Amino acid sequence: MAEKNGKKKKKRWLKVLIILLLIIILLPLIYMGAALIGRVSPGEAIADSYSLYLRVPNPVKLAKGLLGHETLPDMLSYPELAPAIPAIRWVEESSVLKNPLAGFFFRGRIEAALYQDRGFALAWDSRFLSPLLRLLPVISKWITVPGFYYVQGGKSSRFEYRPPGGETLFIGPWRNLLIVSNNPEIFESVLAGRARDGDLRGSGEKSVRAQDGDAVLLVSPDMLAAVLSKQDPRIAAVLEQVDVPSPVELSLFLTAKKLELRAAAPALTQNPALKALLETASPAPALTGLLPAATQYGTILSAGTLEDLYKAAAVFSGPELESAKDRAAASSRLYLGITLEDLLFSWSGEEFAVFGMEGRPSPVYAIQIKDEKKRQDIFNRAFRTVAVNENIRLNLDGVRIPRIELPDFLRSFLRLWNIRVPSPYYTVRDGYLLVSESAETLLAAVRGIQQNETLPKTAIWRELAKSGSGGSSFSLYYSLDTSLPFFLKGDTMLSAILGLYRQGLLRLSFNRGLIELSLAAIPGSGGGLIPVPGYPLETGGALGNRVYGILPGKTDDNRLLFTRDNSAVLLKPRDNSFLEYNAGGPLWFIPAEGLGARKSGDNAAWVVSVQGRVTLVNEKMEPQRGFPLITGLRLSAPPASEKGSLYLCDEDGKVHVVDSRGGISPWETAFASAIRSPPSFLSIPKTGKTYIAVYPKSFFGEIWLLDAAGKPLSGWPVSVPGIAFGSPLVFLRDNEVLTAFITQAGELSVFDKDAAFIPPFPLELEGVFFKQPIFDGDFLWLVSSDGTLFQVSLDGTVLYQRIPRLSVKEEGYITARDVTGDKIPEIFVTGDGNALHGYTRNFSSLNGFPLPVWGRPFFGDLNGDGKLECTGVGLDNKLYRWQFK
């Protein structure tokens, strides 16, 4: 009996075990079946009538790449991206991405679309979590998120998230997808199995080429045309000639130290010149292998011959280009007896380049030679004429480097291609004509080629170029230390973010009707600048373009000074609060240099109206005892402050000094003409002496060097040849007091303290000058009205570089300041436009420049963290502020 009972128990346990095994096996299979049966692609839930389409193949992978990306902290410093900071910090602190289960369950694809009416739809493939989506209505009663509601409506039951002040989001499951939209029609059309415009739902997979991209964006042709046409009228002209029949694909590839963007678009055209370019396959330019390893920036064009490029450019340039070509052709026949086709087209090939090298301001131009015998014949014929001369006397390091003196008509024609080589040196190497305005730069390029030290062998180039095919009709290699590519010169968020990447490679290629564009960029180390959170700052009203700072030593007491309409404004950077003092009319607001605190905590500043009303205010913008002071002067120049005194220039040629107690006294020296620029000062702490330089402006003018009391030093004044602008620069070099001055016509003079020229001055600089020089401790720096930046050594050596699209007149400003901490000052220039340019001594553009400000910027450590900041006013009347890394 006991044996029978034992067998029965064993059978019961066996049945229980079998049932448990079946449950363990069948439940997952049932769950898997529920997750797999009826699955749809996210693309099927979204209508095809989109303007913008986004695909994220693996959200977890993209999130990990973004959080691990080196430039992310700099990106988040921009105010526009500040709302994303809390979510990113939560993800980082929760370590959710480090959980393997999160990577398994949440890696489902996301696809989203934006439509013309700004409505959007997003679909997330929940994959193995899809059966749980059906439980959302059941658990909705336990969800207590503020603004989150469950709305029952039959088949269209859904969640609604109604944020305060924001638009409502509609959220709900559909099969294996989680659908999110801001438009109820779009949301309901997905659940109903149709698109709101009556068309069928998305036709399955949206076709993309970059299957391995971290994110892919499709842009409809209509949206692309609308956006690009607003950016540049020349782009609109291109779109009139080129048809884009299907969406443009943009793909993103992200690693810890590299950002890559790729674009692909089909293009059709009926224009023969453009069709010849589009229907070819771009070659791999051999010229890339000749770029020296020291190349800092370079542009390579290999889309066709000069004649092909001219025909394509003529499609968009209109009659101006044809007229310029006709004038150049007529002049070539007249002066050289050579047709323009023979002079330029007959011997040149299909590859052209311009590149710049480290520490050398002059670029090198390279032209492929398809017929060297023809080139030699053309050059020899040109040199036998009186219009062109070949100078072969220069020999550098055993290499003879001829120099060409070009006629005006040919220089004018080359300017159409942005080539400015007034008297170029040239040489021929490996089938290419190399041309540069600097013989030393040309020699350095030749040496790099001879020693096989080329750019493609560098680690940076290999990193940037490794993902490309090699074929390219246009390549642009850049380093933000030395150049600013055209696509970073706008003020959009995209250009600002791309500006965080120090080096990059842009390539454009044609592939039989398909245009492909790629940009690979890597961030820099330790260079550049980032916006300070909270800026640009709207202060209201029209701001003056000169910003000053007061840094008394305690961070909380730091102040910024500027003007707004008829008021002096004092801003506290700590909390961006400000005080103002209304002067009742136009005014100047400057620090009371050398005055010190009249009582503890006060930071004094001068408020001066154009009518000569003077007020000394403290940090609370309260007038001090003895002020305001009515001087009765008719000011001829802005005021200047030095050693606690204010200097005012009157229309009668006198200079008056105002002290901190409201006393006013004139200099003993009066001038025959009014002073139009404030005096410049040199105070020497070791000796306690102060030197003052002034220029009473007239056609028969003189420059003066005076002591602190306004008494001329022995030998002064000195006559100057012609009219000028600004006040002379008085500076110290090796304990010697020197004075520098340049006339409007470009005669630069440097005098010693006894008013004698120091050799080899005076020098003649080419250009028109509205600004006086500055001294950086070793060199004089000047900028001409056409934006040419000059570096002048006191031994007479002159280097210069043209800053594109810069015009500098009396509103311009130039200063020197060490912002990188290497004890070597950088040079900063503003002109008539909304751009602050920054350069190293080697004429290398600083990372992040130009900045969108004008006038006088202020450099200083306002937040006390040991890093300099740059503050300036934009033409949009906003106050901008950046911090150097």
Side-chain angles (χ1 to χ4, degrees):
M1 189 71 179
E3 185 177 349
K4 289 183 177 179
N5 289 336
K7 290 182 178 179
K8 289 181 178 179
K9 288 181 179 179
K10 287 182 179 179
K11 289 181 179 180
R12 283 200 302 268
W13 281 110
L14 183 60
K15 290 179 179 178
V16 170
L17 181 61
I18 292 172
I19 291 172
L20 288 175
L21 289 174
L22 289 173
I23 292 174
I24 293 174
I25 295 173
L26 289 177
L27 283 180
L29 289 176
I30 293 171
Y31 183 89
M32 293 288 291
L36 295 175
I37 295 173
R39 284 178 52 82
V40 294
S41 164
E44 294 183 53
I46 297 176
D48 292 326
S49 56
Y50 59 82
S51 295
L52 207 63
Y53 192 86
L54 172 69
R55 170 179 291 178
V56 180
N58 188 336
V60 174
K61 179 176 179 290
L62 176 62
K64 286 182 177 180
L66 184 62
L67 291 178
H69 192 56
E70 183 178 303
T71 313
L72 179 63
D74 294 336
M75 291 182 187
L76 296 178
S77 66
Y78 289 99
E80 293 86 347
L81 299 180
I85 294 177
I88 291 176
R89 286 179 177 170
W90 178 84
V91 173
E92 290 177 330
E93 293 171 0
S94 65
S95 301
V96 64
L97 294 179
K98 296 180 181 179
N99 191 323
L101 291 177
F104 177 77
F105 285 111
F106 296 102
R107 62 182 298 176
R109 196 166 75 200
I110 290 177
E111 302 201 19
L114 178 70
Y115 299 94
Q116 289 184 352
D117 58 3
R118 313 310 295 175
F120 76 85
L122 180 146
W124 171 58
D125 184 1
S126 61
R127 303 175 75 239
F128 297 112
L129 296 178
S130 60
L132 300 180
L133 292 181
R134 299 181 177 90
L135 300 178
L136 287 178
V138 178
I139 65 176
S140 62
K141 62 182 70 176
W142 291 291
I143 297 177
T144 58
V145 178
F148 203 77
Y149 305 94
Y150 181 69
V151 179
Q152 291 184 331
K155 292 184 178 180
S156 62
S157 297
R158 60 185 180 265
F159 290 94
E160 292 185 7
Y161 178 57
R162 306 166 189 167
E167 60 181 344
T168 300
L169 295 181
F170 304 92
I171 307 167
W174 184 69
R175 296 194 182 182
N176 57 297
L177 305 178
L178 183 68
I179 308 298
V180 181
S181 178
N182 64 341
N183 185 300
E185 285 188 43
I186 297 176
F187 181 81
E188 291 173 5
S189 71
V190 174
L191 302 188
R194 58 176 176 78
R196 60 193 169 116
D197 54 10
D199 297 334
L200 293 176
R201 206 171 35 245
S203 55
E205 300 289 329
K206 268 63 176 179
S207 177
V208 298
R209 298 176 181 85
Q211 297 293 336
D212 55 342
D214 292 314
V216 180
L217 198 67
L218 299 178
V219 185
S220 70
D222 291 341
M223 183 176 186
L224 180 72
V227 172
L228 294 182
S229 296
K230 293 178 181 178
Q231 299 293 322
D232 193 324
R234 291 172 295 184
I235 296 179
V238 172
L239 294 176
E240 289 180 0
Q241 299 287 337
V242 177
D243 179 40
V244 180
S246 59
V248 176
E249 178 182 318
L250 304 174
S251 50
L252 168 70
F253 300 82
L254 200 63
T255 63
K257 292 184 176 294
K258 183 180 176 182
L259 170 74
E260 186 171 359
L261 298 172
R262 300 180 195 169
L268 303 173
T269 182
Q270 298 302 316
N271 185 280
L274 297 181
K275 193 172 185 179
L277 295 178
L278 294 177
E279 294 186 353
T280 59
S282 296
L287 187 51
T288 305
L290 268 70
L291 299 185
T295 298
Q296 293 288 290
Y297 64 89
T299 301
I300 301 175
L301 189 60
S302 55
T305 65
L306 271 178
E307 189 171 11
D308 294 334
L309 297 176
Y310 166 77
K311 290 178 179 178
V315 176
F316 313 111
S317 300
E320 294 182 2
L321 182 62
E322 187 67 30
S323 177
K325 181 193 176 186
D326 291 341
R327 290 195 303 271
S331 299
S332 178
R333 288 192 299 268
L334 177 63
Y335 294 106
L336 304 178
I338 304 172
T339 65
L340 191 63
E341 286 72 15
D342 283 340
L343 183 63
L344 295 177
F345 300 161
S346 64
W347 55 270
S348 56
E350 298 185 352
E351 295 183 12
F352 312 89
V354 55
F355 60 90
M357 297 166 56
E358 184 177 0
R360 302 182 183 277
S362 299
V364 176
Y365 300 91
I367 303 174
Q368 186 184 45
I369 302 172
K370 71 177 179 182
D371 189 337
E372 173 60 14
K373 184 177 180 181
K374 183 70 173 179
R375 184 203 65 80
Q376 291 182 6
D377 177 60
I378 293 297
F379 276 41
N380 290 335
R381 289 169 60 187
F383 292 144
R384 286 196 294 266
T385 68
V386 296
V388 180
N389 180 49
E390 182 184 32
N391 188 328
I392 60 173
R393 292 176 294 178
L394 181 63
N395 190 297
L396 285 180
D397 198 19
V399 178
R400 183 175 66 85
I401 302 181
R403 188 175 194 179
I404 307 172
E405 295 180 0
L406 295 180
D408 290 338
F409 78 86
L410 188 53
R411 290 203 300 266
S412 299
F413 183 71
L414 292 178
R415 286 195 192 102
L416 295 171
W417 308 92
N418 202 27
I419 299 175
R420 290 173 171 82
V421 281
S423 296
Y425 296 91
Y426 80 95
T427 188
V428 174
R429 282 290 183 277
D430 296 342
Y432 292 89
L433 174 69
L434 305 180
V435 183
S436 178
E437 193 175 343
S438 167
E440 291 79 7
T441 302
L442 197 58
L443 179 62
V446 171
R447 286 285 183 254
I449 296 171
Q450 289 176 337
Q451 297 168 9
N452 201 24
E453 296 176 354
T454 59
L455 185 62
K457 289 188 174 182
T458 63
I460 292 175
W461 177 272
R462 288 197 297 268
E463 176 64 25
L464 292 173
K466 66 181 181 182
S467 57
S469 62
S472 173
S473 293
F474 174 83
S475 300
L476 175 64
Y477 171 73
Y478 67 89
S479 171
L480 291 184
D481 292 337
T482 55
S483 63
L484 186 70
F486 64 90
F487 55 88
L488 295 185
K489 294 179 180 178
D491 56 0
T492 65
M493 173 56 64
L494 178 60
S495 62
I497 290 177
L498 291 179
L500 298 173
Y501 297 84
R502 186 174 182 178
Q503 290 167 306
L505 175 62
L506 177 74
R507 288 184 287 190
L508 171 70
S509 62
F510 304 118
N511 186 11
R512 308 190 189 285
L514 181 69
I515 301 177
E516 296 178 303
L517 185 73
S518 69
L519 171 65
I522 55 178
S525 55
L529 37 72
I530 56 176
V532 173
Y535 288 79
L537 192 64
E538 291 273 10
T539 62
L543 302 185
N545 68 345
R546 305 181 77 79
V547 180
Y548 298 86
I550 296 178
L551 307 176
K554 187 178 178 182
T555 301
D556 288 347
D557 293 335
N558 291 343
R559 301 289 185 267
L560 288 170
L561 311 180
F562 53 92
T563 63
R564 181 185 60 193
D565 296 324
N566 295 328
S567 296
V569 179
L570 184 149
L571 184 140
K572 301 177 182 179
R574 178 185 59 184
D575 56 8
N576 288 340
S577 62
F578 57 86
L579 301 170
E580 61 181 313
Y581 181 90
N582 193 304
L587 73 154
W588 294 280
F589 188 30
I590 62 176
E593 298 285 358
L595 179 64
R598 299 191 65 188
K599 63 180 181 178
S600 178
D602 285 357
N603 301 309
W606 298 103
V607 180
V608 183
S609 74
V610 294
Q611 293 83 14
R613 185 174 185 261
V614 177
T615 308
L616 182 64
V617 297
N618 62 14
E619 65 172 3
K620 298 179 182 179
M621 297 297 277
E622 300 169 337
Q624 298 296 279
R625 185 177 180 180
F627 296 92
L629 174 67
I630 308 300
T631 66
L633 302 178
R634 295 178 302 128
L635 300 186
S636 61
S641 176
E642 181 73 12
K643 283 192 171 182
S645 296
L646 181 71
Y647 293 80
L648 303 175
C649 303
D650 194 11
E651 286 286 355
D652 63 3
K654 295 181 180 179
V655 177
H656 298 260
V657 184
V658 180
D659 62 35
S660 60
R661 291 179 174 80
I664 181 170
S665 58
W667 275 354
E668 63 177 68
T669 303
F671 306 100
S673 303
I675 298 172
R676 300 299 177 187
S677 297
S680 61
F681 299 86
L682 172 65
S683 295
I684 306 175
K686 290 183 179 180
T687 63
K689 292 184 177 181
T690 297
Y691 299 88
I692 308 173
V694 298
Y695 165 61
K697 188 172 181 179
S698 71
F699 283 100
F700 305 99
E702 299 170 321
I703 60 175
W704 298 66
L705 188 62
L706 311 102
D707 61 17
K711 181 180 179 180
L713 300 186
S714 177
W716 298 86
V718 175
S719 298
V720 294
I723 200 75
F725 292 83
S727 292
L729 169 72
V730 54
F731 63 101
L732 198 65
R733 196 277 307 260
D734 296 335
N735 296 319
E736 182 182 10
V737 176
L738 302 176
T739 302
F741 189 74
I742 189 167
T743 64
Q744 184 180 15
E747 181 174 301
L748 174 63
S749 303
V750 180
F751 303 90
D752 62 18
K753 190 169 64 173
D754 298 322
F757 285 113
I758 68 168
F761 294 92
L763 297 177
E764 294 289 340
L765 301 184
E766 184 178 348
V768 177
F769 293 83
F770 291 89
K771 307 302 299 181
Q772 290 298 319
I774 62 169
F775 186 64
D776 72 351
D778 291 303
F779 302 99
L780 291 170
W781 291 87
L782 306 97
V783 60
S784 64
S785 62
D786 68 351
T788 301
L789 182 63
F790 291 86
Q791 179 197 86
V792 182
S793 173
L794 293 180
D795 65 7
T797 302
V798 178
L799 297 176
Y800 59 90
Q801 177 168 298
R802 174 84 166 81
I803 303 176
R805 294 171 295 281
L806 177 64
S807 173
V808 183
K809 295 185 180 178
E810 292 182 85
E811 285 294 333
Y813 185 78
I814 179 171
T815 189
R817 186 66 187 262
D818 175 20
V819 297
T820 59
D822 59 0
K823 298 183 179 181
I824 300 176
E826 284 72 41
I827 311 302
F828 300 91
V829 183
T830 62
D832 301 334
N834 197 45
L836 168 63
H837 298 266
Y839 288 88
T840 68
R841 277 186 176 175
N842 292 330
F843 295 91
S844 299
S845 179
L846 295 178
N847 189 6
F849 284 81
L851 301 176
V853 297
W854 69 306
R856 182 192 194 275
F858 172 72
F859 296 92
D861 181 12
L862 292 169
N863 60 13
D865 64 353
K867 297 180 180 179
L868 278 183
E869 298 169 31
C870 174
T871 307
V873 171
L875 284 173
D876 56 3
N877 287 314
K878 294 179 182 179
L879 188 69
Y880 289 80
R881 185 175 159 201
W882 296 268
Q883 183 177 66
F884 290 91
K885 295 181 183 178

